Amino acid sequence: MNSQSFDLTVEDLQYRVKDGASFRTILDINHLDIVCGEKVGLRGTSGSGKSTFLKLISGILIPQKGDVYWGAEAINRLSESQRDDWRGRHCGFLFQDFRLFGGLSALDNVILPLTFRGTITQADRSRAKTLLDACAVPAQTQASLLSRGEMQRTALVRVLMSSPQVILADEPTASLDHDNAIHVMDALFEAAENLKATLIVVTHDSSMLNRFRRVLTLEDGTVRGA
Ligand SMILES: Nc1ncnc2c1ncn2[C@@H]1O[C@H](COP(=O)(O)OP(=O)(O)OP(=O)(O)O)[C@@H](O)[C@H]1O
Ligand SMILES: [Mg+2]
């Protein structure tokens, strides 16, 4: 796939949720372009729809109206399993709630997604161990026993392991002290730079937002600064 395939275009998108007997519109975005390789900060008040937006552009959720194109592919038109496959191949998602498997070690959490792409090699295991060490995560510890900061960094390593073309991070520094926050943000920028990946980061932290040349704001269900 050429790099052109990872330009993001959101067209005439609406996402509504059930609210009692009626529906509430969470997002209503007329048009948004993010060029392949761009690094974009996304802010907005709590409940403004930031997490929902990331889930829509990664095909975890599908809009009731409109399209999410990555290149020529409208991913919302794919079946659920095709969307899962697309995400597994191209998208690293750092979730607000980490989404680790509590019963598995940090190391197994990090290498698990690679099984969707083929067999896990010894080289994969060593790379995972090296990255976890570099992030000061005890690789053999069960994920449920890790500190929140260690969970966050494990989730980061899981994203880095898959060398994605699209990196989405939902408040990746929220659980971290200042030094660790800088470490995680540095790692995201470095990975995006090396992979020429698109990076979209939700954050409330103005010192983190300052790193982005382009900052979008979600307000009243739509994107400002688009
Ligand atoms: N499945 C759902 N059913 C009903 N309401 C929902 C659903 N999913 C999201 N919402 C609502 O949509 C709005 C946006 O939620 P979202 O989690 O995207 O906000 P956010 O900007 O990420 O907030 P935060 O900064 O607190 O993480 C919220 O009001 C939330 O309650
Ligand atoms: Mg959120």
Side-chain angles (χ1 to χ4, degrees):
M1 224 177 242
N2 62 34
S3 62
Q4 202 58 31
S5 309
F6 293 98
D7 287 347
L8 170 68
T9 305
V10 174
E11 203 68 78
D12 201 17
L13 175 143
Q14 271 188 21
Y15 183 72
R16 294 186 294 274
V17 294
K18 210 153 186 345
D19 191 6
S22 57
F23 284 89
R24 184 158 65 99
T25 300
I26 304 296
L27 291 172
D28 188 349
I29 300 172
N30 185 30
H31 183 88
L32 173 69
D33 283 317
I34 294 179
V35 175
C36 177
E38 248 190 298
K39 299 181 187 72
V40 177
L42 179 63
R43 68 179 167 199
T45 53
S46 178
S48 59
K50 304 178 298 296
S51 298
T52 303
F53 174 78
L54 291 188
K55 289 175 188 164
L56 284 162
I57 62 171
S58 57
I60 293 171
L61 294 174
I62 48 170
Q64 283 86 4
K65 183 166 172 262
D67 287 299
V68 174
Y69 290 95
W70 285 99
E73 182 96 82
I75 59 162
N76 53 293
R77 296 180 186 225
L78 301 175
S79 68
E80 190 172 355
S81 65
Q82 286 172 323
R83 296 198 311 275
D84 289 346
D85 185 61
W86 182 90
R87 215 165 32 252
R89 284 177 192 283
H90 306 302
C91 180
F93 200 132
L94 197 44
F95 289 95
Q96 196 166 8
D97 54 2
F98 317 132
R99 305 222 177 159
L100 300 175
F101 292 96
L104 296 181
S105 69
L107 182 64
D108 285 340
N109 265 283
V110 161
I111 56 182
L112 188 70
L114 300 181
T115 55
F116 295 111
R117 294 183 177 188
T119 326
I120 296 166
T121 64
Q122 195 48 46
D124 291 330
R125 295 188 78 85
S126 319
R127 181 158 168 260
K129 178 78 172 58
T130 305
L131 285 169
L132 286 169
D133 288 349
C135 289
V137 176
Q140 303 302 342
T141 300
Q142 200 175 303
S144 61
L145 302 176
L146 297 170
S147 73
R148 281 186 70 78
E150 287 167 344
M151 288 180 191
Q152 181 64 286
R153 299 197 299 277
T154 303
L156 168 72
V157 171
R158 183 174 56 186
V159 166
L160 301 183
M161 280 298 291
S162 61
S163 302
Q165 283 302 298
V166 177
I167 303 175
L168 306 178
D170 198 351
E171 307 211 23
T173 60
S175 320
L176 305 176
D177 60 44
H178 183 69
D179 287 353
N180 273 301
I182 288 177
H183 170 79
V184 164
M185 209 52 124
D186 284 348
L188 286 170
F189 269 77
E190 191 184 315
E193 204 59 48
N194 291 340
L195 297 163
K196 301 193 181 359
T198 302
L199 175 66
I200 305 176
V201 179
V202 167
T203 179
H204 293 286
D205 184 337
S206 53
S207 69
M208 298 300 159
L209 282 169
N210 283 340
R211 292 177 163 221
F212 295 91
R213 225 180 301 158
R214 186 173 180 201
V215 174
L216 302 175
T217 304
L218 268 182
E219 203 178 354
D220 300 329
T222 197
V223 179
R224 315 254 178 238

